[in-house]
Amino acid sequence: MKPIVITVGEPAGIGPDCIIRAYLDCSEAFERCLIVAPSRWLLQRAEQIQADVRILEFTCLAEAYEALRLAPTDALYCWYPMHAQGAGIVTAAKPSEQTAVEVVGCIEAAAKACLAGEATALVTGPIEKAVLRRTGFDFPGHTEFLDHLARVSKATAAEKSNFVMMLASEGLRVALLTTHMALRDVADALSVAETLKCISIVDLDLRQRFGIAKPRLALCGLNPHAGEQGHFGREEIDILSPAAEQAQAAGIDVTGPMPADTLFSAAVRQHFDAIVCCYHDQALIPLKTLSFGEAVNVTLGLPFIRTSVDHGTALDRVGADDVSYSSLLAAVAMARQMSAASVVD
Amino acid sequence: MKPIVITVGEPAGIGPDCIIRAYLDCSEAFERCLIVAPSRWLLQRAEQIQADVRILEFTCLAEAYEALRLAPTDALYCWYPMHAQGAGIVTAAKPSEQTAVEVVGCIEAAAKACLAGEATALVTGPIEKAVLRRTGFDFPGHTEFLDHLARVSKATAAEKSNFVMMLASEGLRVALLTTHMALRDVADALSVAETLKCISIVDLDLRQRFGIAKPRLALCGLNPHAGEQGHFGREEIDILSPAAEQAQAAGIDVTGPMPADTLFSAAVRQHFDAIVCCYHDQALIPLKTLSFGEAVNVTLGLPFIRTSVDHGTALDRVGADDVSYSSLLAAVAMARQMSAASVVD
């Protein structure tokens, strides 16, 4: 088994707190995990929060992993391949453009290790997008950057993006047709082709990454009561039904479009391995309403496994005694579970 | 205490099944309840489903109620004031225009009894709108008809509608700014004035009908993350925030607009007595996801208490052995609870 690589994200944010505190309380959760970061990011925060933790840094991934395997819970193992680059000063709670090269470089190195088959999964910590953008990072977020790296590596950069955002909790998995856009723009953003692509990616990844032999999917309607035969909106008739029918014709077990309000009730949701939603809140409201432990953000459709924490850099929480690391542990556990179930590693 | 009046709705639908079966299994639930219907609607269905139930009919409400008080669980008591009108034949599962006059007449009589202070609350069974409309019933639904009757009775027919749809379950109350419309039309349907009116009605009715001295309300954002300061949609800035501020200035305890996805999580929703939602699924998804027992549909803003079942006429279920009457019982229980808590009767 190859290692799981974890990026810290913004070193001035709570990323380092989460890793240090999670390790102190639950070192076995980091089995097979390498932190892709300069060790000083963690050492400096550990000192600030008076945490007694051993942190080792390696330039070579294979060496880092060998050390980790020999003494898994003796230390936090950092892999930092870019020792020649940057040495930006980190000031807790004050993200700086000085460290942007390192932040992006660590994500890139981690993703490339996954693409090269040297790592089995990527878990990402929270970045400070605005700071990175000011230094020329030209992506709306993490996921688009990873998708870009994946497509460059396959020499298919001209292709459209193929990733899908999924959130998974113990009792519910939701995938999103659209993400961060105004609600008034959602209806026009839907298309048969994108809906079909999303359904296909979810189906494929549930088989390949989640070990579900025959995934049962549901597709949410956009409108109340799924439009009631076109009485309130035609997107079900014009877009969602054709997409579902094409997916079914391709052998995918997808039901819908179904009225979204009843679809998430206990009696109905249990029949599906994932529910494909039209917009952000249609997916996130039921997920967070149920709050089965921690939800993990999973990116489907990439050529490697990627999970991420579901929080931001929380600058107002940096260094606090009670920073919660449960989302990090859940993301690591999900990555581990997916890499164990995965048939494409 | 005045009686609670219950309308059967469409006599060819499951309305009669629900009343008969609920009474047989739980006659005490009908304490103080009069069914506004010709007794033959119930007698005929009782015969079809071989239910042994005593059903009495009275023309005069006061006489019916006196009989009910003397022997509350001896029979189902029908009040049918329109004996001279109609005698449409009822064929189970086949709604007919022949009974439309009686269906509408019963609703009207029941509402007028509430408006006149002769009844304390109205519980409505499911109607078959399409059939009623073909006979000249010119309202989108039940609620608009009741609102019309209320405004006519107050000689303020020119006023705009003032009702709000609320759904209430054991752990969550949601009120709706918009109801059955296409999702693409929701953003343009919102306004400061209507949002403020809705918040005010919810606040007033929670005080007056639910016995909550200081209601704590939350207002949902429309867009993901409540728009993130206008990044995805401006309705929070232009409409929802001004409405919330005006409501606060008027002394109403309302928080928001808040991101809808986290608002319904257990940790947050418990702080609010009701959550005002921008659109149908934003309210109905969390309510049905939680499925705390049965949700009851409550109409706020009418000059009387009105609850209704949350199902339709279910023509395919008419006469079935296992017709569920839990929604009817929940609607009756809620009407009873509201009339006990009510300070405006």
Side-chain angles (χ1 to χ4, degrees), chain B residues 317-338:
Chain B
R317 306 285 304 139
V318 171
D321 287 344
D322 58 349
V323 166
S324 167
Y325 51 76
S326 56
S327 178
L328 174 67
L329 287 185
V332 171
M334 177 75 79
R336 192 183 301 283
Q337 200 179 319
M338 288 173 68

Side-chain angles (χ1 to χ4, degrees), chain B residues 192-206:
Chain B
V192 175
E194 290 295 312
T195 304
L196 179 61
K197 192 166 82 176
C198 177
I199 292 170
S200 305
I201 290 173
V202 174
D203 177 68
L204 185 72
D205 272 25
L206 286 181

Side-chain angles (χ1 to χ4, degrees), chain A residues 181 183-184 188 223-224 235, chain B residues 181 183-184 188 223-224 235:
Chain A
M181 61 166 61
L183 191 82
R184 67 162 66 242
D188 287 333
N223 297 299
E235 290 80 6
Chain B
M181 61 166 61
L183 191 82
R184 66 163 66 240
D188 287 333
N223 298 299
E235 290 79 7

